[in-house]
Amino acid sequence: MNIIEVKDLKKSYHDGETETKALDGVTFSVRKGEFLAIMGPSGSGKSTLLHVLGMLDDATSGKFIFDGKDIGSYSRDELAALRNNKVGFVFQSFNLLPRTSVLENAKLPLVYSDIPEHEWDARARKVVEAVGLGHRLFHQPSELSGGEKQRLAIARALINDPDIIYADEPTGNLDSKSGKNIMSILQRLNEQEGRTVVLITHETSTAEHAERIIRLMDGVIDSEELVEHRMTADAEYIK
């Protein structure tokens, strides 16, 4: 079963009379439980596509079906609830609250959920421990390494038990060792927990952790391929 279907998706930006086509008729689907990588050079449309798939931006035209329902049929409030409850985001820049503890950062999405507040601490501890940061619960982001910050971002993405995780260049600000650690977490979430992962990257070695790669060029799909020999990475903190 597909969790995502996009058909002839287009996204244009206008600056006066100048039109820029960021996406120009993209069609593909993502199976539930799949690990998909979307690649392309700067300006290819991959970040625009992720923003549309993550319901952070609207397409200009085309269809986007999420979990069997056309996104166009949702109200703004319904979209916000769907985004918070069904989707987890991991960004290259971490997007953490700087003067807030690891535990409080992980809890942030729960503020907009229906989960009772008395359950928040337990949930946050569980996801923080799952990414190997249980010993850092009360540290602030400034006291964490780059890899630890990204692990915290993944914990925050998991807090509402999402159906899909969107990871936008998650290793882009990390050294190679930390990057492998992050990719091993995403692989574990996909292979052991069955979570759908959509990864945006410009690095072939990172993309090859996925099962399938879609390559974008100038807003259109240039190629699509299955990964025959997936990369593997073993995180040091996983026992």
Side-chain angles (χ1 to χ4, degrees), residues 37 187 203-210 213 215 227 229-231:
Q187 278 194 306
E203 299 173 337
T204 300
S205 60
T206 300
E208 288 177 346
H209 288 275
I213 299 173
R215 298 179 191 272
V227 179
H229 304 288
R230 292 178 70 185
M231 296 281 290

Side-chain angles (χ1 to χ4, degrees), residues 13-55:
Y13 297 98
H14 292 84
D15 183 7
E17 296 182 359
T18 302
E19 179 185 24
T20 301
K21 294 181 179 180
L23 298 173
D24 194 16
V26 173
T27 299
F28 68 97
S29 60
V30 182
R31 301 186 324 274
K32 282 190 175 181
E34 183 178 10
F35 193 144
L36 172 70
I38 299 173
M39 291 191 69
S42 178
S44 63
K46 60 185 187 298
S47 291
T48 299
L49 178 58
L50 184 72
H51 279 78
V52 173
L53 296 179
M55 294 162 268

Side-chain angles (χ1 to χ4, degrees), residues 3 11 15 22 24 41 52 69 73 80 121 127 147 153 158 160 177-178 194 221:
I3 188 170
K11 177 65 178 180
D15 183 7
D24 194 16
V52 173
K69 188 172 180 181
S73 65
D121 272 12
V127 294
L158 293 173
N160 279 329
K177 181 179 179 181
S178 297
I221 293 178

Side-chain angles (χ1 to χ4, degrees), residues 7 12 32 40 46 150 155 160 170 174 182 208 216 219 237:
K7 300 176 182 178
S12 296
K32 282 190 175 181
K46 60 185 187 298
Q150 196 60 289
N160 279 329
L174 305 178
I182 293 304
E208 288 177 346
L216 291 182
Y237 70 86

Side-chain angles (χ1 to χ4, degrees), residues 162-199:
D163 290 341
I164 188 167
I165 296 172
Y166 294 117
D168 189 1
E169 300 280 7
T171 64
N173 283 335
L174 305 178
D175 59 61
S176 60
K177 181 179 179 181
S178 297
K180 289 179 180 179
N181 205 326
I182 293 304
M183 292 312 302
S184 75
I185 295 173
L186 293 175
Q187 278 194 306
R188 184 190 63 177
L189 293 171
N190 172 248
E191 294 174 357
Q192 297 181 18
E193 299 185 18
R195 294 186 191 272
T196 308
V197 178
V198 175
L199 168 75

